[in-house]
Amino acid sequence: MFKSHKRLQVGLATGYDMTGLCADVYMVWWMDKFVHKLNQLNIKLDVNVRFKDDLNLMTKALPLGTRYDPNNKELHYTNPSLKCFANFSSQSEKEIYESENPEVITFYVLSQIANDIDTMISFTYDVPSNYEPKMVPILDLNVYLNQDGYIMHEFYEKPTNNHFVILASSALSFKVKRTVFTQECLRRLRNTSLRLGPDIANKYLSQYMLKLKDSGYSQKFRAEVIKRSKNAFNLQIENDSNGIRPLFRDKIRIVQDQKEKGVGAVDWWNKAYYKDPKNKRYSTILFVPPTPGGKLAKQMQKREAELNANSDTRIKVVETGGSRLKHILVQNNPYPSLPCLKQLCPFCKETLVSVPAVNSAELGSAKLSCRTPSVGYTVSCMECKKNGTPALYIGETGRTAVTRGGEHIRAILKKNPQNPMSKHLTKAHPNQNHVRFEFGLTQHFRDPLSRQADEALRIASSSKKLVVLNSKSEFNKAPIARVQIEN
Ligand SMILES: [Zn+2]
Ligand SMILES: [Zn+2]
């Protein structure tokens, strides 16, 4: 659905798991046909690795005058020195053969064979001679064949990559920054063939260190990052030669290692425990909002340790990150929202029994669309407010405000005895018609727990001052423990 139009999507969206699976199923079938065809034409692949629809192939160069004939599905050879093969299908094809570049001609022929297999997929190709220096970028590697016949790889990043790393002035902890940069250096070391010697790897490390310098990091910090990454890399090489763990793992080994480390386990927060069973094993995790110096988290950790000292059920208390300035200062949707079209939306328009609340601190003046899901809201009786004895209903919903609000309105109109507002009307204003309620939105919530906790808090803190219309059963929810930080 796009606005009110229905549109049919052709093909699958990038990034969905399903898209990857479909591509794999199709490509397995396709590869089989492709390899079979190459065998028929006597072309042998030395390297044949597929990643989704990317093929990394290596083969011996075909003779310069090789051309593919799609009609008879066979290869033709012409001696290029005779210059007698004309009838090129296009100017670019003419240029390919005139270049007399064996790489380009070979892969041009391969791409023609590939494109002849199925009309659903069309291939382009890339060869080292398209680049300067002559290497093919594959993900974060630059790959080429050296003169001794070895496949070499060097670290590669797009020239358009950001020159800056996490700035020294950013609010992340020193430890996090150091870990991130050490891992990045390690990636550069691992991505450069050992056979190339340390000079090439050092070149990539120097380039990275320049980024760190320009992002505000001291020489001392940079030296430490280099030292840590080199140590880690040497350990990896040592583990490789001792047979403890290969430097480059295959798929089977990666899955096996992940299982041991507890990656993908439901209790991902027990990572330290899986690494070393001497560490504590936690039953669950509790996130707390950030406070200066992590004070709240530390106090809660201390209290948790006291309370659960003799218990098998331990709770890991983790401080969440703070909100980013970007989220406070930037408006993601600069366009005014479309007008609400619902007939019965107490938050946007007047109905027989309600009016939308106008900027009142009590009722909530949050500038939220009535179509935002997961919100807290308040309903106030206007008659009681006039009499100086405000009566409030405090609510929360996981659906949109307009849906829940519409339900309330219909219930009030039908005089449904289950509805708190309708109940209030029969009890407090039995002889009055045209009593109306004010509907206000208070806040949007990211998760159900904080939404319900907020509702309980609002009920608990309002009940002393005013009449609360919520039924008593709602008071019986688990009480909210109050935590106070002492300075
Ligand atoms: Zn509305
Ligand atoms: Zn009332």
Side-chain angles (χ1 to χ4, degrees):
M1 286 287 280
F2 187 77
K3 288 192 184 158
S4 53
H5 302 283
K6 286 194 186 88
R7 299 212 171 142
L8 182 70
Q9 163 140 10
V10 180
L12 290 160
T14 312
Y16 277 139
D17 289 347
M18 191 62 192
T19 312
L21 282 174
C22 288
D24 275 336
V25 169
Y26 173 78
M27 285 308 293
V28 166
W29 168 84
W30 187 94
M31 272 311 278
D32 193 49
K33 289 214 139 195
F34 181 58
V35 173
H36 184 70
K37 181 84 205 163
L38 292 182
N39 283 338
Q40 280 179 349
L41 299 171
N42 246 328
I43 300 174
K44 194 181 151 277
L45 293 175
D46 296 312
V47 171
N48 172 11
V49 188
R50 180 180 67 84
F51 179 71
K52 302 295 168 198
D53 57 350
D54 272 335
L55 308 180
N56 298 312
L57 308 177
M58 206 170 91
T59 181
K60 293 209 171 51
L62 299 170
L64 290 183
T66 307
R67 294 182 77 185
Y68 179 66
D69 174 5
N71 296 323
N72 300 313
K73 309 215 178 290
E74 55 191 25
L75 294 177
H76 293 297
Y77 297 95
T78 318
N79 187 342
S81 62
L82 296 176
K83 304 263 178 219
C84 67
F85 62 118
N87 56 40
F88 291 110
S89 66
S90 66
Q91 180 63 26
S92 62
E93 189 179 73
K94 188 167 177 254
E95 279 164 15
I96 285 166
Y97 282 97
E98 279 176 0
S99 74
E100 300 196 347
N101 180 334
E103 265 177 25
V104 175
I105 291 171
T106 303
F107 273 85
Y108 175 69
V109 171
L110 283 182
S111 71
Q112 279 185 307
I113 298 167
N115 288 335
D116 202 27
I117 287 175
D118 188 27
T119 47
M120 212 163 98
I121 186 164
S122 156
F123 280 92
T124 54
Y125 61 92
D126 221 352
V127 289
S129 38
N130 281 350
Y131 295 90
E132 195 53 55
K134 303 208 178 310
M135 312 180 199
V136 185
I138 301 171
L139 302 174
D140 60 349
L141 290 178
N142 240 342
V143 182
Y144 62 101
L145 193 71
N146 81 352
Q147 281 159 345
D148 305 325
Y150 287 105
I151 300 174
M152 293 299 198
H153 58 92
E154 292 185 14
F155 172 76
Y156 171 76
E157 68 179 339
K158 284 186 186 146
T160 48
N161 263 9
N162 194 343
H163 179 68
F164 294 102
V165 293
I166 307 163
L167 293 183
S169 56
S170 84
L172 279 176
S173 79
F174 161 78
K175 235 168 119 183
V176 169
K177 287 175 190 159
R178 193 180 60 193
T179 311
V180 169
F181 299 142
T182 306
Q183 286 304 319
E184 272 296 306
C185 287
L186 194 58
R187 185 157 73 99
R188 280 157 175 77
L189 289 166
R190 287 170 54 90
N191 280 8
T192 304
S193 299
L194 282 174
R195 215 177 269 276
L196 289 167
D199 286 357
I200 305 280
N202 286 344
K203 182 182 84 186
Y204 294 110
L205 288 183
S206 304
Q207 284 172 3
Y208 191 59
M209 284 304 115
L210 188 66
K211 286 189 177 192
L212 255 69
K213 185 183 171 220
D214 292 347
S215 307
Y217 292 94
S218 70
Q219 192 179 14
K220 195 178 147 221
F221 180 84
R222 282 163 9 227
E224 198 188 330
V225 167
I226 290 279
K227 206 178 114 194
R228 280 174 170 261
S229 61
K230 290 234 165 170
N231 286 345
F233 188 52
N234 289 338
L235 184 70
Q236 289 190 352
I237 293 174
E238 207 182 294
N239 285 343
D240 181 79
S241 50
N242 292 343
I244 295 172
R245 181 188 160 141
L247 189 54
F248 300 106
R249 299 168 297 167
D250 57 13
K251 261 188 206 160
I252 297 165
R253 182 63 194 248
I254 291 173
V255 172
Q256 189 189 330
D257 286 354
Q258 283 179 340
K259 254 188 204 155
E260 268 170 36
K261 269 170 94 183
V263 175
V266 185
D267 53 342
W268 50 267
W269 57 84
N270 278 323
K271 224 167 153 185
Y273 167 82
Y274 284 112
K275 224 178 199 173
D276 182 2
K278 268 183 245 144
N279 284 312
K280 234 173 279 157
R281 186 176 193 164
Y282 295 98
S283 315
T284 188
I285 190 161
L286 176 69
F287 291 104
V288 297
T291 44
K295 219 167 190 174
L296 178 61
K298 275 180 202 155
Q299 284 194 11
M300 290 188 68
Q301 275 158 6
K302 203 178 135 207
R303 191 74 186 116
E304 190 274 336
E306 284 166 17
L307 289 171
N308 292 336
N310 303 317
S311 164
D312 290 335
T313 312
R314 294 299 304 264
I315 302 164
K316 185 171 187 168
V317 179
V318 174
E319 186 175 43
T320 57
S323 39
R324 291 174 170 205
L325 277 179
K326 189 173 95 177
H327 292 154
I328 300 167
L329 298 174
V330 178
Q331 196 183 353
N332 282 332
N333 183 7
Y335 306 102
S337 52
L338 296 164
C340 173
L341 298 171
K342 281 274 157 41
Q343 277 287 307
L344 288 182
C345 179
F347 298 98
C348 297
K349 50 190 77 147
E350 280 187 32
T351 69
L352 274 175
V353 290
S354 76
V355 291
V358 217
N359 284 351
S360 92
E362 234 168 33
L363 296 182
S365 51
K367 284 200 182 70
L368 287 171
S369 157
C370 65
R371 279 155 293 175
T372 315
S374 193
V375 286
Y377 62 91
T378 352
V379 185
S380 153
C381 172
M382 292 172 82
E383 192 62 28
C384 290
K385 193 178 171 187
K386 210 160 67 186
N387 300 338
T389 50
L392 275 190
Y393 175 77
I394 289 158
E396 55 88 16
T397 178
R399 296 171 295 156
T400 60
V402 56
T403 310
R404 186 71 188 111
E407 281 174 3
H408 279 311
I409 298 299
R410 273 189 290 273
I412 300 169
L413 288 170
K414 275 196 202 150
K415 300 193 167 55
N416 179 347
Q418 303 292 314
N419 184 277
M421 269 65 77
S422 166
K423 226 190 272 176
H424 172 74
L425 289 180
T426 19
K427 243 168 107 186
H429 318 288
N431 305 318
Q432 273 169 286
N433 288 325
H434 315 300
V435 175
R436 297 217 267 188
F437 294 93
E438 267 181 303
F439 278 69
L441 284 173
T442 53
Q443 212 183 329
H444 162 68
F445 296 98
R446 277 170 209 280
D447 58 286
L449 182 62
S450 45
R451 190 181 70 230
Q452 282 157 7
D454 171 80
E455 186 202 26
L457 264 183
R458 284 190 292 141
I459 293 176
S461 56
S462 341
S463 53
K464 287 168 210 135
K465 288 173 278 168
L466 33 83
V467 184
V468 175
L469 304 181
N470 295 59
S471 75
K472 284 281 175 276
S473 67
E474 284 172 277
F475 290 87
N476 295 337
K477 283 179 184 172
I480 301 290
R482 305 296 297 268
V483 182
Q484 218 163 3
I485 308 180
E486 293 154 23
N487 283 313

